[in-house]
Amino acid sequence: MTYLKTYGPRADPVTGLTWGLMDLSLAVIVIVTGLVVVGVWMRRSRQPWPALASLPLGGSGGGTAWITIGVALTVLALAGALAWTVAVMAAVAAPATTALTIEVTGHQWWWEARYLGLTPDQTFSTANEIHIPVGRPVLLKLYGADVIHSFWIPALGGKTDTIPGRTNLTWLQADRPGVYRGQCTEYCGLQHAHMAAFVTADPPADFEAWRARQQQPAAPPPDTAAAGEPLVVAHCGACHTVRGTGAGGVVGPDLTHIAGRETLAAGTLPNTPNGLAGWIANPQALKPGARMPATDLSGPELGQVVAYLETLK
Ligand code: HEC
Ligand SMILES: [Cu+2]
């Protein structure tokens, strides 16, 4: 999570501006402090304090020229900063082309990412871990499901709020493969801090392979894990979708390819069999207030559910 080093044309101009304005501010502080110190020093050494107090105020000493110079320099510096800011805003306003459009919805407390395809069967939904092709501009349509959240992947671009009833647009481009961490940056309730987002920039061929896999419904489980599927449909299907099964809820993240994710519950815990079992048995212990209740599965049933979910690559 760094915004002082960035990796793409959506973020780089802003970083240059950030450093530039910071340097300018530092230069102002140094120059003004220096002048004040010099002024105090010269007056002190020349005259004792009572004489200073009785100095006449007036323009005849030639001191007003300094005010003119000071105002002129300030106006120049601020005008330069304004021009630079406007130029950067224009440069990052919108990409010339977009390779892909993703609808990102902020929920309490997770991110839904819906990839639009040319036909409905190419459209799919995933959560918290957003894959993009490296080196290509990606358009994000931002929605808010409940309260205002703010989507921020600092190394790739600035913040944009997700506001219920509004569609905000932003875009990202990563010039290097890698995983870029982000975070909700608009306080949105109890678990605001556990609302991370990850953007994974894949080489184009890897991205296409990932997307093709995500577009597929869940593969029928092997016999060893088959007992978990009806349990998931019965206990989880009202809130979660597993495409290709009877589970079709839209309250929580789409679980069709849950085993392909690195983390669970917006970066709250790693996606391991133990993490999964712990989460399903008692989400409230790991993320108090999360919109998922503890489930009333028996121990063996929990094992079957986890074994089934682990097959959903
Ligand atoms: C009342 C609705 C509801 C029910 C029932 C429910 N969940 Fe959830 N689930 C959620 C919500 C909401 C989240 C997102 C929580 C968060 O990250 O804050 C979630 C998150 C998850 C996640 C993490 C997904 C991710 O992408 O990080 C898993 C795995 C999961 N649920 C599995 C299950 C299983 C298995 C069941 C059934 C035994 C179940 N859930 C029942 C609402 C529900
Ligand atoms: Cu938040």
Side-chain angles (χ1 to χ4, degrees):
M1 288 266 296
T2 169
Y3 59 89
L4 293 177
K5 191 156 176 20
T6 49
Y7 299 92
R10 168 66 177 80
D12 291 345
V14 182
T15 313
L17 180 67
T18 304
W19 281 107
L21 293 185
M22 204 143 73
D23 292 346
L24 183 69
S25 311
L26 285 175
V28 169
I29 291 173
V30 168
I31 292 169
V32 170
T33 310
L35 288 177
V36 168
V37 168
V38 168
V40 167
W41 189 258
M42 281 170 62
R43 280 294 181 200
R44 277 272 159 82
S45 52
R46 236 189 278 157
Q47 279 161 350
W49 177 248
L52 250 191
S54 61
L55 271 184
L57 261 182
S60 58
T64 47
W66 283 102
I67 295 176
T68 315
I69 293 169
V71 169
L73 286 178
T74 309
V75 168
L76 270 181
L78 289 180
L82 178 69
W84 191 359
T85 304
V86 170
V88 166
M89 285 169 76
V92 302
T97 59
T98 45
L100 177 71
T101 301
I102 309 173
E103 295 183 340
V104 174
T105 306
H107 294 262
Q108 283 177 321
W109 290 277
W110 58 284
W111 299 98
E112 176 185 352
R114 204 160 159 267
Y115 287 68
L116 303 182
L118 293 176
T119 57
D121 63 325
Q122 292 175 352
T123 295
F124 65 88
S125 178
T126 181
N128 305 319
E129 296 177 14
I130 301 172
H131 286 247
I132 61 172
V134 85
R136 308 289 304 279
V138 176
L139 184 70
L140 300 185
K141 291 186 175 172
L142 298 172
Y143 304 99
D146 32 44
V147 299
I148 299 177
H149 305 271
S150 190
F151 183 79
W152 191 36
I153 310 288
L156 299 182
K159 305 170 182 181
T160 311
D161 281 4
T162 70
I163 301 173
R166 264 194 73 110
T167 306
N168 279 346
L169 297 181
T170 187
W171 64 284
L172 299 176
Q173 177 172 332
D175 284 343
R176 275 211 230 163
V179 181
Y180 303 90
R181 193 184 195 279
Q183 178 68 38
C184 177
T185 53
E186 180 76 42
Y187 180 69
C188 57
L190 208 53
Q191 287 298 339
H192 166 63
H194 280 147
M195 193 170 163
F198 300 87
V199 168
T200 304
D202 296 320
D206 292 3
F207 173 75
E208 288 308 332
W210 177 85
R211 177 157 66 173
R213 201 162 52 246
Q214 295 289 320
Q215 284 168 345
Q216 298 301 314
D223 288 348
T224 47
E229 187 186 308
L231 289 171
V232 167
V233 172
H235 290 269
C236 329
C239 292
H240 291 287
T241 293
V242 180
R243 278 174 280 132
T245 75
V250 292
V251 176
D254 186 305
L255 300 181
T256 309
H257 297 286
I258 179 66
R261 303 211 260 279
E262 300 289 327
T263 64
L264 294 174
T268 306
L269 68 166
N271 187 6
T272 59
N274 283 340
L276 207 51
W279 170 260
I280 296 165
N282 194 359
Q284 298 301 317
L286 297 157
K287 195 169 175 180
R291 301 281 191 250
M292 171 165 159
T295 43
D296 53 357
L297 298 166
S298 69
E301 284 174 333
L302 180 62
Q304 288 165 342
V305 164
V306 171
Y308 170 64
L309 293 178
E310 285 293 324
T311 69
L312 301 178
K313 290 268 187 306

